[in-house]
Amino acid sequence: MIKCNLAVLLAERGMNISELSERTGLSRNTLSALQNNTGKGIQFDTMDAICKLLDVLPGELFTYADVGFKYVFTHPNKQQIKTDATGTRVLYGVKYSGFYEVEIFYNEKIITMLGLLNTDDYPERTQVVFSVKDKSRLEKIPLIFRQEIFNNITDLALNEINVSYDLPIKIDKSSIEVKFLDDEFIRKEIKDFINSQDGELDEFLEKI
């Protein structure tokens, strides 16, 4: 998988797309596509102009890594919507609404992460929490790929909450964050969650 490092290079230099477009004469749309890794390709003239202005080699403009992702999400606690005396649908005391297993394939290695979906502050904020040890392992992966991992996790969480849970108030992506907590704390929380599921998730206990 190849990613363009333009966003990182600009951040290091305190520049933005508008300034880069003005100083190189390149289209803002073209540069934005490169920065967001949504472009279909890059012209040599475009690469030459960027490299000259940023004083980098073509190889520094791109990063390659053999990266893949696999996500397993279970939500045995999704029936958390109840009706009060007035008939209004309300959310009662949801602490953890789901369980994650994430497998990240990076240069022939597999990083397995177990986490929980925390809805304590629904609908203002939802967190997908993992062990802080996972963060140190992920930091070996180039930033541009880590960001894609986080984006995929938040997209999956958003879909599970809004589609599977049928919550009375839908949430948007900006309210979801990936967070890393103390290793012993999160391990205990995951074990408590799994043990509360009457054997449904026992296969994951050996991974904790």
Side-chain angles (χ1 to χ4, degrees), residues 26 30 34 41-50 61-62:
L26 298 172
T30 297
L34 286 172
I42 181 172
Q43 298 291 327
F44 284 144
D45 288 348
T46 300
M47 188 186 307
D48 182 62
I50 295 173
L61 190 56
F62 300 95

Side-chain angles (χ1 to χ4, degrees), residues 158-167 170:
L158 183 69
N159 181 72
E160 288 297 326
I161 292 172
N162 285 338
V163 176
S164 299
Y165 284 68
D166 189 27
L167 296 179
K170 302 299 183 182

Side-chain angles (χ1 to χ4, degrees), residues 25-71:
L26 298 172
S27 162
R28 180 183 171 88
N29 289 339
T30 297
L31 295 174
S32 293
L34 286 172
Q35 177 179 247
N36 298 320
N37 280 281
T38 57
K40 301 297 183 181
I42 181 172
Q43 298 291 327
F44 284 144
D45 288 348
T46 300
M47 188 186 307
D48 182 62
I50 295 173
C51 289
K52 282 181 178 178
L53 182 63
L54 300 183
D55 191 24
V56 296
L57 297 174
E60 297 174 86
L61 190 56
F62 300 95
T63 296
Y64 171 81
D66 184 10
V67 179
F69 319 101
K70 177 183 176 183
Y71 306 98

Side-chain angles (χ1 to χ4, degrees), residues 79-106:
Q79 300 299 330
Q80 294 292 339
I81 306 301
K82 299 184 180 181
T83 303
D84 64 13
T86 66
T88 302
R89 287 159 58 84
V90 294
L91 189 69
Y92 287 105
V94 178
K95 185 176 183 182
Y96 294 115
S97 299
F99 170 77
Y100 272 99
E101 180 183 36
V102 180
E103 285 188 348
I104 301 166
F105 307 94
Y106 174 60

